[in-house]
Amino acid sequence: MKKFLSIILAILMVVTTVPMAFAADVTPPTREVDGKIYYELDSADELYWFAEQVNGGNVDINAILTDDIVVNENLLSEKLILTEKDEVKTSPYGSETVKVCVAEVKTGESVREWIPMGTDLWVNMYSGHFNGNGKTISGLYVNEKYDDAGLVGNAYGCTIENLTLEDSYFYCEYNFAGAFVAFAENPYDEQVYLKNLVNKSIVCGRCAGGIVGCVQGTTEISGCINLETVYPFAISNGYDYGHKGGGIAGTILNDFSATDCVNLGNAEYAFVSGNDSFTNCYYLDTASKGVPFVTNNVLAVTAEEVASGLVCEKIGGHKTKIITEEPTCTENGFEKIECLICEYSVIQKEIPALGHVDEDGDKLCDDCHGEIKDVCPDCGRPIHDDSFAQSLICLIVMFINLVKSMFA
Ligand SMILES: [Zn+2]
Ligand SMILES: [Zn+2]
Ligand SMILES: [Zn+2]
């Protein structure tokens, strides 16, 4: 009887723990910050889970990234065929030939498509706090005909900050495209904040913008940098002040302010706006123009001024990122801090070379297949004879190594 009971118990445990294990796998952990709950995201599955919640109606949930997230590895360089070409775009306001960048998934490659958070204008628009926490999301792929393309499709009253988006592709044929937000609205008088964002993704669409596509609601942008090409179309409904798109913001229709932003990517303008609501913004003179009118608040800078760090100084410091180069068998790796705008770079720590491995004893490294030369166990130099000279060198090198190790 006891045995029978324990079998039943075992079956029950299996039945109940399997679905729980699945749920625990996908539902990210949470933390509380200033009385608000944040989902801690550190994987593509968790990011998709979060977007599904938003698109399911939980529009005001919050997230904090706890690691870099890769959705599609090497999307732009290996998975897609990108073709820049001239296309005629027609609207009720006429037609125009524009440059677009179309993407096709390479034969044999599979790409996980991204469904932007906030898929429906008025119905579900993202209004939470998305804190990138200095991390990077890479490999988002949106290739849409009708739905807005971006990390967030439709937004109001949300804050997106401290995030880099790279190696991603956002395309929308008939609607807006912006790497972080395609369409910023303001139906309930709640402002959108976009702070400390860096875009290194291709954006193509109507009112396209490297940070935000179309701004219809009150929006504040600060410390945002665009580094990639923005391909804007002519648009259909008079939103455009006669222009198409911008490196930072595609089309600005309403209360808007931008501070400490820099456009370095190819685009028509840095911002397409009719209002001078800018403070301390810059654009690379060979990449775009500033705004469609003259202002002292959006200024041209040269490539030299960018590289030298002058622009970083003007906007309050470098936009840094930690780069890790893994060590190989023979060469040290390192962790360094690099600026995304200028040439500033500092090695933070060196990671020692791994050394060769030879488990099968064939004198070839199992990892790199390099030849493994026998070394003297005392001095670490290639094997040597017992002559007086060689033995003396051996002793000296041994002594130097000993002293070194004492002070290391
Ligand atoms: Zn810098
Ligand atoms: Zn090796
Ligand atoms: Zn030796």
Side-chain angles (χ1 to χ4, degrees):
M1 190 60 192
K2 252 190 173 164
K3 196 171 184 187
F4 179 72
L5 256 180
S6 64
I7 291 170
I8 295 279
L9 265 176
I11 292 172
L12 266 176
M13 272 174 72
V14 169
V15 167
T16 52
T17 52
V18 165
M20 275 177 70
F22 266 104
D25 233 6
V26 180
T27 310
T30 56
R31 77 166 73 155
E32 203 181 308
V33 183
D34 297 331
K36 288 201 286 184
I37 300 293
Y38 286 77
Y39 289 101
E40 297 179 333
L41 312 180
D42 71 357
S43 68
D45 285 342
E46 289 182 351
L47 181 64
Y48 275 69
W49 177 91
F50 186 84
E52 270 169 29
Q53 302 303 306
V54 172
N55 292 332
N58 297 323
V59 292
D60 59 351
I61 53 175
N62 312 305
I64 183 161
L65 296 200
T66 52
D67 204 350
D68 292 340
I69 292 177
V70 181
V71 174
N72 291 292
E73 217 175 348
N74 301 325
L75 177 74
L76 299 181
S77 59
E78 286 174 17
K79 299 214 157 66
L80 299 180
I81 300 167
L82 296 168
T83 314
E84 202 180 69
K85 61 179 185 182
D86 289 334
E87 251 179 32
V88 178
K89 298 286 179 191
T90 306
S91 78
Y93 300 87
S95 60
E96 193 181 2
T97 304
V98 292
K99 202 165 276 307
V100 297
C101 180
V102 293
E104 201 188 317
V105 178
K106 262 187 203 165
T107 320
E109 292 287 354
S110 69
V111 165
R112 186 174 190 182
E113 284 187 46
W114 172 247
I115 296 170
M117 294 186 263
T119 40
D120 288 314
L121 188 58
W122 315 125
V123 180
N124 61 359
M125 306 174 75
Y126 182 58
S127 60
H129 180 192
F130 196 96
N131 185 354
N133 194 25
K135 307 296 182 196
T136 298
I137 295 176
S138 61
L140 292 185
Y141 178 67
V142 183
N143 201 343
E144 263 297 325
K145 271 203 151 36
Y146 302 103
D147 291 334
D148 296 309
L151 172 69
V152 171
N154 296 279
Y156 84 92
C158 71
T159 297
I160 303 175
E161 62 179 338
N162 309 325
L163 180 63
T164 297
L165 259 179
E166 65 180 29
D167 192 35
S168 297
Y169 178 84
F170 302 102
Y171 182 102
C172 186
E173 176 72 30
Y174 299 114
N175 246 310
F176 306 134
F180 292 89
V181 172
F183 193 26
E185 253 293 352
N186 192 19
Y188 313 110
D189 214 27
E190 284 178 58
Q191 189 159 339
V192 170
Y193 294 93
L194 304 172
K195 298 190 273 192
N196 299 319
L197 305 174
V198 177
N199 177 48
K200 287 169 83 180
S201 309
I202 293 173
V203 182
C204 188
R206 289 168 198 273
C207 298
I211 303 294
V212 54
C214 184
V215 176
Q216 182 148 281
T218 316
T219 299
E220 205 178 290
I221 303 184
S222 58
C224 291
I225 317 294
N226 174 53
L227 301 166
E228 254 299 349
T229 305
V230 174
Y231 298 85
F233 304 165
I235 64 158
S236 57
N237 43 14
Y239 279 179
D240 62 346
Y241 305 98
H243 302 287
K244 296 188 287 286
I248 303 289
T251 293
I252 299 158
L253 301 166
N254 217 321
D255 282 349
F256 169 86
S257 72
T259 311
D260 299 332
C261 292
V262 183
N263 178 48
L264 302 178
N266 288 323
E268 190 187 22
Y269 288 96
F271 304 88
V272 175
S273 170
N275 302 322
D276 195 356
S277 46
F278 307 96
T279 311
N280 202 37
C281 292
Y282 301 89
Y283 63 95
L284 175 63
D285 59 357
T286 50
S288 73
K289 289 175 269 183
V291 281
F293 55 88
V294 177
T295 171
N296 285 326
N297 301 320
V298 184
L299 292 176
V301 285
T302 63
E304 291 75 48
E305 286 173 315
V306 173
S308 70
L310 188 77
V311 173
C312 295
E313 220 170 273
K314 285 176 194 268
I315 62 164
H318 299 293
K319 292 277 169 190
T320 54
K321 195 186 163 169
I322 295 171
I323 314 261
T324 308
E325 205 142 300
E326 299 299 339
T328 64
C329 293
T330 50
E331 304 218 340
N332 289 351
F334 47 81
E335 207 177 87
K336 62 178 178 177
I337 299 176
E338 242 178 44
C339 181
L340 292 162
I341 301 174
C342 74
E343 285 169 355
Y344 170 82
S345 151
V346 172
I347 291 185
Q348 239 185 338
K349 87 173 187 219
E350 209 146 347
I351 311 164
L354 301 169
H356 294 300
V357 195
D358 184 18
E359 286 195 340
D360 52 12
D362 64 354
K363 301 268 184 247
L364 292 176
C365 174
D366 301 342
D367 290 333
C368 71
H369 310 294
E371 193 186 339
I372 299 170
K373 295 193 180 80
D374 283 327
V375 290
C376 166
D378 297 325
C379 66
R381 295 181 304 132
I383 212 86
H384 55 81
D385 57 42
D386 290 340
S387 66
F388 177 74
Q390 284 297 338
S391 300
L392 186 64
I393 297 172
C394 189
L395 261 175
I396 291 168
V397 173
M398 256 173 83
F399 179 71
I400 290 171
N401 289 343
L402 183 75
V403 172
K404 261 191 192 163
S405 71
M406 281 167 67
F407 290 96

